[in-house]
Amino acid sequence: RAWVRRAVGIVLPANKTRHGDDMLKQMADIPPGTVGFDAIGEVDDDDFEKTLEPVLRRIIAEGRKVRLLYLLGVRFREYEGDALKEEMKFAIHHPSAYERVAVVSDEEWLRPALRLLSVLVPGQLRGFRVAELAAAKSWVAADPQRAP
């Protein structure tokens, strides 16, 4: 698992903060028709399977498009390679379900990773800085046919 995280470049040098709680917390203040998650501490594949995947499955079952916002803020430490692998497998199995994914973070290492992931993630993927959280929420909620 460690070699995957190093290869993708998604490990931050910090103490782990896992205490048995889900490390993906669903955001309450997100525009209608969208879903947002705040990554806290170390996010692993169990967090994706227990927290994010059921929400995505519900959206898809309702016939809606996935409009997803990730906040990788100051409490975020690591997004394990296994979690990324599970999420990519899910996206590959539901390619027409994704419409927009906004990733909000001030981490510079994330910019090149997002360019790489934009090829793999169905729909539109865009990065924002934490100070641009409101703009990220607006973008993920906007009609892709009308938005710049």
Side-chain angles (χ1 to χ4, degrees), residues 1 18 20-24 42-54 79-87:
R1 288 165 68 166
R18 186 158 202 92
D21 295 329
D22 292 335
M23 298 285 104
L24 284 172
E42 180 182 322
V43 177
D44 64 21
D45 55 334
D46 289 337
D47 295 310
F48 172 77
E49 291 167 358
K50 290 186 334 187
T51 308
L52 183 55
E53 185 176 5
Y79 201 98
E80 289 190 358
D82 285 349
L84 181 61
K85 181 179 82 172
E86 289 303 313
E87 189 161 355

Side-chain angles (χ1 to χ4, degrees), residues 10 12 39-41 43 71-79 109:
I10 56 175
L12 298 179
I40 301 166
V43 177
L71 174 58
L72 310 177
V74 295
R75 299 182 300 168
F76 168 70
R77 295 292 171 253
E78 179 179 352
Y79 201 98
W109 60 265

